[in-house]
Amino acid sequence: MPEELEKILKENQAIAIKINGEIKDLSYVSYLNGDEEIEIISPQTKEGLEILRHSVAHIMAHAVKDLFPDVKVTIGPAIEDGFYYDFDKDTPFTEEDLQKIEKRMHEIIKLKQPFIRKEISKDEAIKLFEALGESYKVEILNEIKDEKVSIYEEGGFIDLCRGPHIPHTGMVKAFKLLSVAGAYWKGDERNKMLQRIYGTAFPTKEELQDYLNFLEEVKKRDHRRLGKQLRIFEISEEVGPGLIIWLPNGAIIRKTIEDFWKDEHLKAGYQLLYTPHIAKLDLWKKSGHLDFYRENMYSPMDIDEISYQLKPMNCPFHIQVYKSELRSYRDLPLRFAELGTVYRYERSGVLHGLLRVRGFTQDDAHIFCTEEQLEEEIQKVLDFTLFILSTFGFNLYDIYISTRPEKYVGSIENWERATSALKEALKKRDLPYQIDPGEGVFYGPKIDIKIKDALNRSWQCSTIQVDFNIPERFEITYRGKDGKEHRPIMIHRALMGSLERFIGILIEHYAGAFPLWLAPVQVEIMSISEKHVDYATKIYNQLRSNGFRVKLNIENEKIGYKIRQASMNKIPYMVIVGEKEVEKNAITVRKRDGKNLELIKIEEFIESLNDEIINRK
RNA sequence: GCCGGGAUAGCUCAGCGGUAGAGCAGUCGAUUCGUAAUCGACUGGUCGUGGGUUCAAAUCCCAUUCCCGGCUCCA
């Protein structure tokens, strides 16, 4: 064994080893003969962390079996931020159970029980787990094709597992059980509901603490909490679940975003539309929505004995706009944009603040173009999307191409042509992407862009979808150079996705502290005492007449109290006026973060505000 | 939709069989104040909704609506 390797092992920095590219238990070291390519896996690496967490999941299952012998174990993988294990238990785990399990886990860890790997035949394994009463493991075994399987034993607890694992339980330095939840066996809602325990583990206590702090930060930024605190939106039980009521502060934010969106769309060669919220049921039959989207649509309503349907999408209306005139190839591409409010049925358990609602406004557009124009149009949409997103400070993305789902319309050939157009456009823009197989919409493949927010969390907003099918269903055409009728291709796209979700994400991204151009109140004027009310009012009027959103606070309160109120409302600028300011005919500006106190002339302040707003800083 | 937890004043929450509470907010009064909470008084609740058990229910039981954490599904 190389000296360096021996040293690392001694210092307990290794938890697994890669031999000729294959991850193995550390115990494989004793079989090495020296000519293998090896790599030490420490818990700091992605692979190492996964092994650590998976091992902690085993230890948790061990603890659960010790405390609740009747419970059956199922599966327990490592996940993005930790691990979970699903158990079949008649009554759910309680908070107290979690504490007991943690305690038992600490005991197991202290014993430094080795993880021992054994390879046995599948039949042997089935017999073993049958004897242990672990029917879920037997079910898994029956689905495994290999003749040999591996099991791991640690302190008497045996689990079917591919491995690898940490050498012994004592290597777990920092873990915490986080929550309990119901989860279906194999993720299928027709199966039995199991009891899942979520937990996490890290190489060190500090890293665990950092993660717990992150969870706290996430809680603090929760848009539902901030939305209430900052009076941005409300969901009323009296109105109905998943239906958003924009309060004045939220309405201003939304209006500002809408204005920006419309202006930029006009600049980018789009034409703006408004279309109705309902349409005859027959329209939805023709579009294919009734066949392929029915479960998300509300029941139709009767008007003069004809069925009408609340719209779940805007596309059929935009098709009507296309059809309102004869189109020539000279007209294409045609770009129709609308902030279109749609209604979709969402199961009650999935609703979530602004992020998942039943009525929402898509920043929708449909581009009609020729086959030759398709790729360039997609590139333009990509550029436009990234411009809009970067305005809000989103500069990191994960891009996915979703391919044909099980339920689809149109020919496979068309699907493939559309998919390759999407790939080609991303390639030309040097944008790396991943494939999300089978996740396309029923009418075509799509590019989804997931943005990373200030906490590095991913959110799906933008979507660009090619559609060969709806143009066909509505038989829309254009007259080509050759004088013949041709069928245009349609691109559906939404950049922010929906205003509701996007603003929800913005609240969390900015932690409620909106940049000046979006802030509901941009400047709050506060007087030191009653003597300065007139001057404060004068400043207020001056700022207001210059188009700023200003609040005047001339209450009989101490300045400290007023500053506290404004800070809690996350107002970008506070203007403080007292004796000094009146005398010098100036103002003192305090930024939201408490820095940059300065006495300046009002004209100078107005100039800097305008600069900040125009540049959307 | 499924599993579990919850709903008490505008907000945050305590009370968990025996007369509905606190802080903040609001109103009124005093204070006239220089960078994150001045003091006092007052107001405010059919304890989510509907049934039931009990001498007595915010509290226990059942149903229901909505919310929360997950699962499944998604802009």
Side-chain angles (χ1 to χ4, degrees), chain A residues 269-282:
Chain A
Y270 286 78
Q271 292 170 285
L272 299 179
L273 303 179
Y274 293 97
T275 65
H277 286 212
I278 58 170
K280 284 183 183 174
L281 193 59
D282 282 349

Side-chain angles (χ1 to χ4, degrees), chain A residues 278-281 300-310:
Chain A
I278 58 170
K280 284 183 183 174
L281 193 59
M301 60 186 112
D302 275 357
I303 301 172
D304 291 342
E305 287 168 43
I306 293 170
S307 288
Y308 283 74
Q309 173 69 47
L310 198 51

Side-chain angles (χ1 to χ4, degrees), chain A residues 200-332:
Chain A
T200 193
F202 286 89
T204 64
K205 289 209 167 69
E206 290 71 39
E207 284 163 276
L208 175 63
Q209 195 51 53
D210 285 349
Y211 178 70
L212 297 177
N213 293 344
F214 165 79
L215 292 183
E216 274 306 305
E217 184 61 29
V218 167
K219 237 188 232 171
K220 266 193 231 157
R221 286 175 182 243
D222 191 315
H223 74 282
R224 292 165 300 180
R225 176 186 170 139
L226 287 170
K228 190 176 264 183
Q229 192 195 318
L230 302 174
R231 281 172 274 265
I232 292 170
F233 72 98
E234 190 159 276
I235 299 167
S236 147
E237 188 175 341
E238 242 174 312
V239 173
L243 302 170
I244 304 303
I245 296 158
W246 291 100
L247 301 175
N249 286 340
I252 277 289
I253 295 168
R254 176 164 165 170
K255 182 223 180 256
T256 309
I257 294 173
E258 286 181 352
D259 289 349
F260 164 65
W261 186 92
K262 286 180 184 171
D263 290 348
E264 293 304 326
H265 275 72
L266 290 172
K267 280 191 221 164
Y270 286 78
Q271 292 170 285
L272 299 179
L273 303 179
Y274 293 97
T275 65
H277 286 212
I278 58 170
K280 284 183 183 174
L281 193 59
D282 282 349
L283 180 76
W284 302 104
K285 268 185 199 153
K286 196 165 180 183
S287 67
H289 286 88
L290 212 54
D291 289 333
F292 291 91
Y293 208 67
R294 183 176 238 139
E295 53 201 42
N296 287 293
M297 288 159 69
Y298 291 103
S299 315
M301 60 186 112
D302 275 357
I303 301 172
D304 291 342
E305 287 168 43
I306 293 170
S307 288
Y308 283 74
Q309 173 69 47
L310 198 51
K311 69 173 167 182
M313 291 192 191
N314 302 302
C315 22
F317 298 91
H318 291 198
I319 290 270
Q320 300 306 311
V321 178
Y322 183 92
K323 282 171 64 167
S324 66
E325 304 179 30
L326 277 178
R327 304 294 182 179
S328 129
Y329 72 96
R330 294 172 198 274
D331 298 328
L332 303 183

Side-chain angles (χ1 to χ4, degrees), chain A residues 553-566:
Chain A
N553 188 346
I554 47 175
E555 277 175 51
N556 280 340
E557 286 292 350
K558 288 187 167 177
I559 198 68
Y561 181 77
K562 294 184 186 180
I563 286 168
R564 179 180 157 80
Q565 294 300 316

Side-chain angles (χ1 to χ4, degrees), chain A residues 107-123:
Chain A
E107 289 164 11
I108 295 167
I109 288 164
K110 231 183 210 163
L111 291 172
K112 299 189 178 177
Q113 308 273 17
F115 275 88
I116 299 158
R117 180 191 175 93
K118 271 190 204 140
E119 284 190 16
I120 57 177
S121 76
K122 198 169 93 176
D123 291 344

Side-chain angles (χ1 to χ4, degrees), chain A residues 32 39 48 205 224 248 251 507:
Chain A
L32 291 177
E39 191 189 326
K205 289 209 167 69
R224 292 165 300 180
I507 293 171

